[in-house]
Amino acid sequence: MHKFPVPRLADAVVLEWADELAAQIGSEPEDLRRSPESINFPHDTVRVELMDESVVEFRSALVVVNEAKKAIAVFTEHCGHHVLPFHEAKVFVGDELRYSQGSS
């Protein structure tokens, strides 16, 4: 159990997103739940552009978009894991647009 907030909260994000994350990385959800720190991170850069023109960018990261949750989860090797709103968001991996949620 982590006593510091960033690793503890990062583990909570992995637990909440274990099914989606496991499907993306070819793992089993239970393996991630047992060992949230076991993710093998790519060398990809993930950039998310949000509706208010805010931009976040992470190196050595992977991203999962879940329209049912109306959220984007970014998992990073060194900077924790983050859940962002997906309303009118654009998600890039490297320079490639991977997801764009238009206004409805």
Side-chain angles (χ1 to χ4, degrees):
M1 184 70 135
H2 300 289
K3 69 178 184 176
F4 300 109
V6 172
R8 181 175 44 80
L9 294 173
D11 285 354
V13 174
V14 172
L15 296 176
E16 183 177 334
W17 288 73
D19 293 333
E20 298 92 337
L21 181 57
Q24 182 159 326
I25 64 174
S27 182
E28 293 297 323
E30 285 309 312
D31 292 341
L32 291 173
R33 288 185 182 101
R34 255 192 317 276
S35 183
E37 70 284 348
S38 67
I39 301 167
N40 289 320
F41 289 93
H43 294 288
D44 294 333
T45 296
V46 171
R47 184 176 80 247
V48 181
E49 297 176 357
L50 300 168
M51 67 176 291
D52 68 353
E53 299 182 11
S54 295
V55 177
V56 293
E57 184 173 286
F58 299 98
R59 289 177 178 77
S60 299
L62 47 91
V63 63
V64 177
V65 177
N66 185 309
E67 291 188 355
K69 290 181 179 179
K70 297 184 179 186
I72 299 164
V74 180
F75 300 87
T76 75
E77 186 171 20
H78 302 291
C79 297
H81 309 319
H82 310 274
V83 179
L84 305 165
F86 88 138
H87 181 72
E88 296 185 38
K90 291 181 182 175
V91 177
F92 296 84
V93 177
D95 290 330
E96 180 184 335
L97 178 64
R98 293 280 179 94
Y99 179 81
S100 179
Q101 197 274 331
S103 56
S104 32

